[in-house]
Amino acid sequence: VSSAFNKSTCAIVIDINAYCPTFALIKNTLFYKCFCNQSNKASGITVSDYRESRYLNNFMARNILILHSKFSSCLSEDRAGAVAIFPVNMNVNITVQVIKSTFYNNTCKTEGGSLAIADVMHLVIKECDFELNKAKMGAGIFANRCYHVVIFQSNFSRNSVTAGGAGVYLNN
């Protein structure tokens, strides 16, 4: 995916509702200079349950894997420069894995210069590079109300914030 998107959308939107597959794989994908200024969406990938919560009336497992992908120079006005994952319904058990991916020069005016992830059961970041990302909070990763967070063999360099968490901002 290599494009500049209009003010109304982002590159990929995954709506996690009862009609969505339980596994989403984004592999070997380049997101370059994506732009979005729509509220609550990242410019690269947005995962949320936009539909009414009645579609999510039981506990459903959702797995999201981002593998060997690159997010470069992505810009979002709200909710992560590159990837935003935030289910509204707390009954959804989501596992997010980001492995061997690069986040370079992404910007968000609020939280998550690269990643903004909230309300997931498991968040695993492995062998990723976060460099020159900018945000108000969490230039590399902004994680809010994530139950298990594991970050290993990853590099955070030259990220900048105006409030806190240049590399990682964890909030529970």
Side-chain angles (χ1 to χ4, degrees):
V1 177
S2 179
S3 248
F5 285 83
N6 254 336
K7 298 177 181 181
S8 62
T9 190
C10 66
I12 296 175
V13 175
I14 300 171
D15 183 359
I16 52 170
N17 60 59
Y19 307 109
C20 182
T22 59
F23 181 75
L25 170 65
I26 293 96
K27 181 179 179 185
N28 296 327
T29 305
L30 170 64
F31 294 84
Y32 179 68
K33 289 191 177 180
C34 297
F35 170 77
C36 179
N37 73 356
Q38 189 175 20
S39 180
N40 289 327
K41 289 188 179 170
S43 62
I45 301 170
T46 298
V47 180
S48 184
D49 49 352
Y50 288 105
R51 299 178 191 253
E52 298 175 33
S53 61
R54 66 186 163 140
Y55 292 107
L56 300 166
N57 56 9
N58 57 10
F59 290 88
M60 300 197 286
R62 303 286 184 213
N63 297 292
I64 299 154
L65 174 59
I66 299 170
L67 180 63
H68 294 286
S69 293
K70 183 172 183 176
F71 299 83
S72 180
S73 302
C74 295
L75 171 64
S76 179
E77 300 287 322
D78 187 35
R79 291 274 182 157
V83 178
I85 300 171
F86 51 100
V88 175
N89 188 313
M90 295 301 291
N91 290 336
V92 180
N93 178 3
I94 296 179
T95 297
V96 176
Q97 297 179 76
V98 184
I99 300 171
K100 295 184 179 179
S101 294
T102 301
F103 297 86
Y104 180 80
N105 196 37
N106 300 296
T107 304
C108 180
K109 290 186 179 180
T110 59
E111 65 260 1
S114 287
L115 300 175
I117 300 174
D119 301 315
V120 301
M121 185 61 69
H122 305 283
L123 171 60
V124 177
I125 309 293
K126 179 182 177 186
E127 297 178 41
C128 292
D129 293 314
F130 297 86
E131 185 177 1
L132 288 174
N133 301 293
K134 300 170 206 70
K136 181 178 179 181
M137 296 182 295
I141 300 169
F142 177 87
N144 189 37
R145 296 182 310 271
C146 297
Y147 192 68
H148 294 111
V149 177
V150 178
I151 302 170
F152 63 104
Q153 296 176 334
S154 295
N155 299 308
F156 296 86
S157 62
R158 301 185 295 166
N159 298 296
S160 60
V161 293
T162 56
V168 179
Y169 183 97
L170 296 176
N171 184 39
N172 286 319

